[in-house]
């Protein structure tokens, strides 16, 4: 009779994930037992300190792995190797600045509804707002999402990957519906995200089942080993791999699995949109890299055509639809779709430099994204009585902003030119690295299309810059129609960190590129 042998668990190697999930659990207890007057401050300190501590733990584990080599964790369910740790570090850096934007307030109000369960426009909602209720559950929800994201890059079997997918997704479904203003739009975004997310999870689960039936295991390495050893079941293998990839492509917002992106980005609270746009994409691409580079090399000829088509239509659709948008958040949403197509070039390359280039690109994109959405939270509308209301998201409302608030406009311009891939920004180095990896992998036709798409995408970025600096404002000098609100300063700190990081990645990319060069091989 076989006896169950419990796995040996290296708790130290799991410390980054344990810290974040531990803080999330403590945050739930804070909601239950800490007095209301200090609850918000406690949650903010816990979340920021927790993410910072997890980042320190990742740095420590990087030193250990560089010295002792990669290891398998939790009976092989996770891998502690250089690509996983670097992806976790990038994720935590972007999550840290994203948390600062989430925690910031202007005029004593944050971006979240005072009572999430209240019917929009109801008397109960008005009373909750008047009473000054605060939705501090946002912070443990965010920490749970970060915990799931940290598992994503290290997951080495499909079941662990699916659990991490749900842990990161479910809090985001809730966070997307908590906007203080535009409540109906926010709840619609939450519902769409949930329904389409459940649909993509079903694809993933079906792919998992097919790959288990094909190989007898859910481990990436076992599936990869079964590819050359098993015959007569190629249809099951290809269907399973494609369905798993579809589930991951949904999270990165690749076409045709992108339909949720513009609606959710527009409806979700803007701080959550910035956090989600940066961190979810980082985690999903890191997981896609491991799955593709471990399982797919033996299927390269079967998958190339499909992935090339997806990359091409993602770049084209994202660019074309961004051009016609008049809402700032929807424009950035379709821009993120186009960027997903660019990053896919590094995934498709199937060369070691593809891994390092994708990770560098994700860092540059993540910083610029959090910074850009952070600035969106500061530019507000004013009603006929001069009261500050919601965010000014129509492009016309940004006309002349550079004259009234030059520092904000310059920072936003920096993030836009990084998105466009203009030299001396992190976005340029990221695109250069990814395109170089794609050429090395023989995907030069994709690079040609990507360069043309990048050139076309520059139009809608430059359009915003022209609006801010070279267009007369729509209002009058006495009442410009928009204003920049004063906050507690956390968003300003986040924007400064993102701006400095964007410049340093463009001017002095060497240290990060050298670091990424040590993360070019996955542990099988």
């Amino acid at each position: 009779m076989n006896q169950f042998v419990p796995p040996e668990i290296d708790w130290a190697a799991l410390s980054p994930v344990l810290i974040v999930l531990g803080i999330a659990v403590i945050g739930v207890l804070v909601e239950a037992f800490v007095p209301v007057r200090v609850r918000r401050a406690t949650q903010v300190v816990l979340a920021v300190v927790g993410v910072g501590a997890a980042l320190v733990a990742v740095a420590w584990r990087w030193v250990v792995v560089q010295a002792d080599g990669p290891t398998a964790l939790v009976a092989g369910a996770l891998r502690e190797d250089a690509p996983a740790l670097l992806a976790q570090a990038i994720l935590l850096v972007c999550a840290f600045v994203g948390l600062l934007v989430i925690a910031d307030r202007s005029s004593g109000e944050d971006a979240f509804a005072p009572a999430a369960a209240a019917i929009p426009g109801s008397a109960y909602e008005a009373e909750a707002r008047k009473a000054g209720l605060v939705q501090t559950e946002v912070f443990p929800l965010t920490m749970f999402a970060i915990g799931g994201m940290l598992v994503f890059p290290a997951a080495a079997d499909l079941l662990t990957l699916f659990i991490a997918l749900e842990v990161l997704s479910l809090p985001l479904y809730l966070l997307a519906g908590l906007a203080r203003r535009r409540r109906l739009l926010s709840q619609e975004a939450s519902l769409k995200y949930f329904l389409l997310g459940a649909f993509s999870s079903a694809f993933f689960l079906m792919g998992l089942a097919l790959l288990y039936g094909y190989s007898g295991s859910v481990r990436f390495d076992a599936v990869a080993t079964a590819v050359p050893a098993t015959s007569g079941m190629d249809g099951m293998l290809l269907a399973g791999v494609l369905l798993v990839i579809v589930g991951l492509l949904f999270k990165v917002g690749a076409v045709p699995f992108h339909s949720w992106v513009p609606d959710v980005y527009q409806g979700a609270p803007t701080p959550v949109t910035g956090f989600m746009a940066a961190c979810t994409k980082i985690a999903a691409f890191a997981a896609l890299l491991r799955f593709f580079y471990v399982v797919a090399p033996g299927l390269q000829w079967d998958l190339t055509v499909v992935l090339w088509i997806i990359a091409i239509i993602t770049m084209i659709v994202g660019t074309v639809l961004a051009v016609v948008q008049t809402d700032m958040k929807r424009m950035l949403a379709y821009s993120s779709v186009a960027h997903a197509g660019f990053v896919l070039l590094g995934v498709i390359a199937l060369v070691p430099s593809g891994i390092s280039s994708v990770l560098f690109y994700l860092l540059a994109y993540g910083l610029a994204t959090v910074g850009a959405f952070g600035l969106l939270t500061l530019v507000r509308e004013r009603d006929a009585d001069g009261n500050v209301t919601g965010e000014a998201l129509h492009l016309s409302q940004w006309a002349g902003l550079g004259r009234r608030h030059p520092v904000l406009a310059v920072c936003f311009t920096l993030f836009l030119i990084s998105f466009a891939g203009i030299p001396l920004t992190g976005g340029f180095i990221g695109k250069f690295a990814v395109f170089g990896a794609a050429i090395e992998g023989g995907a030069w036709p994709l690079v040609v299309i990507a360069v043309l798409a990048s050139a076309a995408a520059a139009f809608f970025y430059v359009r915003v810059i022209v609006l801010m600096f070279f267009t007369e404002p729509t209002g009058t000098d006495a009442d410009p129609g928009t204003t920049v609100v004063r906050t507690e300063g956390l968003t300003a700190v986040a924007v400064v960190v993102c701006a400095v990081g964007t410049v340093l990645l463009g001017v002095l990319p060497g240290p990060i590129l050298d670091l990424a060069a040590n993360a070019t091989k996955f542990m099988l």
Side-chain angles (χ1 to χ4, degrees):
M1 181 178 179
N2 294 329
Q3 291 185 341
F4 172 73
V5 179
E8 295 184 5
I9 298 177
D10 185 352
W11 296 105
L14 295 174
S15 56
V17 178
L18 294 177
I19 289 171
V20 170
L21 292 180
I23 293 294
V25 173
I26 293 172
V28 173
L29 297 177
V30 167
E31 288 298 312
F33 298 108
V34 173
V36 174
R37 64 181 182 277
V38 295
R39 188 179 299 164
R40 183 181 181 279
T42 304
Q43 293 282 25
V44 172
V45 171
L46 273 175
V48 172
V49 171
V51 172
L55 184 57
V56 172
V58 168
W60 166 52
R61 297 310 302 175
W62 174 273
V63 174
V64 172
V65 167
Q66 292 299 308
D68 302 334
T71 55
L73 306 174
V74 197
L78 301 173
R79 295 288 189 268
E80 186 186 43
D81 54 17
L85 289 170
L86 184 56
Q88 288 176 338
I90 293 169
L91 174 63
L92 288 169
V93 168
C94 294
F96 184 84
V97 290
L99 266 174
L100 294 181
V101 179
I102 290 173
D104 204 1
R105 294 186 298 183
S106 62
S107 304
E109 292 183 349
D110 57 22
F112 304 99
I119 299 174
S122 66
Y124 177 68
E125 184 181 55
E127 291 174 3
R129 185 179 291 110
K130 186 177 180 179
L133 298 184
V134 180
Q135 201 77 37
T136 50
E137 295 91 339
V138 166
F139 297 99
L141 286 173
T142 304
M143 295 303 288
F144 276 119
I146 295 172
M149 292 173 185
L150 289 177
V151 175
F152 233 46
D157 73 51
L158 293 166
L159 192 58
T160 304
L161 190 63
F162 176 74
I163 293 172
L165 175 68
E166 296 306 305
V167 171
L168 78 88
S169 298
L170 292 174
L172 292 178
Y173 300 153
L174 295 173
L175 290 170
L178 297 181
R180 176 175 287 273
R181 298 177 176 86
R182 301 186 180 186
R183 296 283 291 123
L184 285 175
L185 189 64
S186 180
Q187 291 185 354
E188 179 186 353
S190 177
L191 183 61
K192 285 181 178 178
Y193 196 17
F194 170 71
L195 292 177
L196 292 175
F199 194 56
S200 72
S201 295
F203 276 107
F204 188 97
L205 274 177
M206 188 62 192
L208 185 157
L210 291 175
L211 290 180
Y212 179 76
Y214 173 82
S215 65
S217 174
V218 293
R219 299 278 180 83
F220 290 178
D221 54 353
V223 176
T225 301
V227 170
T230 305
S231 60
M233 301 173 67
D234 292 348
M236 180 181 290
L237 170 65
L238 285 174
V241 170
L242 286 173
L243 288 173
V244 169
I245 290 176
V246 165
L248 295 175
L249 289 177
F250 172 86
K251 285 300 175 186
V252 304
V255 178
F257 317 107
H258 71 294
S259 58
W260 64 275
V261 174
D263 293 334
V264 174
Y265 278 32
Q266 183 183 27
T270 303
V272 171
T273 303
F275 167 78
M276 179 172 56
C279 296
T280 304
K281 199 176 292 290
I282 293 169
F285 264 117
L288 186 61
L289 275 173
R290 182 178 296 277
F291 181 79
F292 199 71
Y293 275 68
V294 172
V295 176
L299 301 171
Q300 183 176 3
W301 294 107
D302 300 290
L303 297 176
T304 296
V305 174
V306 175
L307 292 175
W308 275 43
I309 293 173
I310 290 174
I312 290 171
I313 62 175
T314 299
M315 290 185 287
I316 293 176
V317 170
T319 301
V320 171
L321 293 183
V323 170
V324 300
Q325 301 303 314
T326 57
D327 183 276
M328 194 72 76
K329 289 173 76 173
R330 291 185 74 88
M331 185 198 75
L332 292 177
Y334 281 111
S335 167
S336 78
V337 172
H339 282 285
F342 299 144
V343 181
L344 277 174
L345 269 63
V347 178
I348 294 170
L350 274 180
V351 294
S353 60
I355 301 171
S356 58
S357 63
V358 166
L359 293 175
F360 184 93
Y361 195 117
L362 292 173
L363 175 59
Y365 170 80
L367 290 176
T369 298
V370 174
F373 281 102
L375 290 174
L376 288 185
T377 66
L378 301 179
V379 182
R380 301 289 184 87
E381 297 175 333
R382 293 206 287 200
D383 59 21
D385 298 324
N387 298 317
V388 176
T389 56
E391 292 147 353
L393 297 177
H394 196 279
L395 289 180
S396 62
Q397 294 175 301
W398 288 62
L401 192 68
R403 304 179 188 181
R404 303 193 303 272
H405 303 281
V407 175
L408 184 147
V410 167
C411 289
F412 198 68
T413 298
L414 174 63
F415 299 135
L416 291 178
I417 64 176
S418 182
F419 288 144
I422 304 299
L424 301 182
T425 63
F428 170 76
I429 302 298
K431 284 187 178 180
F432 185 84
V434 167
F435 293 172
I439 292 174
E440 183 183 347
W444 63 265
L446 288 180
V447 175
V448 173
I449 296 173
V451 171
L452 294 175
S454 296
F459 166 78
F460 52 82
Y461 299 127
V462 172
R463 177 179 60 180
V464 177
I465 298 172
V466 171
L467 270 173
M468 290 191 296
F469 290 100
F470 305 106
T471 305
E472 292 294 331
T474 54
T476 64
D477 292 337
D479 181 20
T482 59
T483 186
V484 174
V485 296
R486 292 184 178 275
T487 67
E488 295 172 332
L490 296 177
T491 297
V493 173
V495 169
V496 169
V497 171
C498 293
V500 171
T502 299
V503 173
L504 288 180
L505 289 175
V507 177
L508 297 171
I512 303 300
L513 287 173
D514 292 340
L515 199 66
N518 294 320
T520 57
K521 186 176 181 181
F522 289 107
M523 179 184 179
L524 300 178

